[in-house]
Amino acid sequence: ARACLPASLIALSDEWVRDHPPGWQRVEAIVAKLRTEYQLDRGAASGSGDPVQHFLFETRQGPDYLFACSAALLLRAQGFDTRVVSGLYAS
C-alpha cells in the first residue's frame, strides 16, 4: 500500500511519527498533528487536483472528510490497514 502513495505523503507521515515507536503511538501522533495544526472549516473548498495534498500541504484547513481521508492515507503510509467510513457521526 505504501508504494502506491505519493512520495510527499509518505515523507510527511514519516516526519510526523519519527520520534514514536511502531504501533498505537504512531496513530496518536498523526491524529494529534491533524487536531493541533489543521483547522476544521466546513465551507472550505477542496482545491483542484488532489484535495488531500491541497489540504495537507497548502491550506491546512478543510471539512471533516479531508481530516478522515488524510488520517487514513497517512496511516497507510505507516503500514496500517485503514478505511474511511462515512454516514456515521459520533459526538
Side-chain angles (χ1 to χ4, degrees):
R2 186 175 165 107
C4 297
L5 297 171
S8 57
L9 196 132
I10 293 169
L12 182 65
S13 181
D14 288 345
E15 177 185 329
W16 285 8
V17 302
R18 173 185 37 211
D19 299 327
H20 303 279
W24 187 252
Q25 288 186 14
R26 289 189 175 188
V27 174
E28 290 176 331
I30 288 171
V31 170
K33 277 284 196 185
L34 288 169
R35 285 185 173 162
T36 59
E37 297 185 14
Y38 291 78
Q39 181 178 357
L40 178 63
D41 182 354
R42 290 182 174 91
S46 61
S48 59
D50 184 336
V52 171
Q53 294 271 352
H54 184 73
F55 170 72
L56 287 172
F57 297 103
E58 295 177 37
T59 64
R60 298 173 76 105
Q61 63 182 12
D64 52 3
Y65 74 88
L66 283 175
F67 281 82
C69 292
S70 297
L73 291 174
L74 292 164
L75 290 168
R76 282 184 193 166
Q78 293 303 308
F80 292 95
D81 291 329
T82 63
R83 176 182 319 189
V84 175
V85 177
S86 64
L88 301 173
Y89 182 79
S91 60

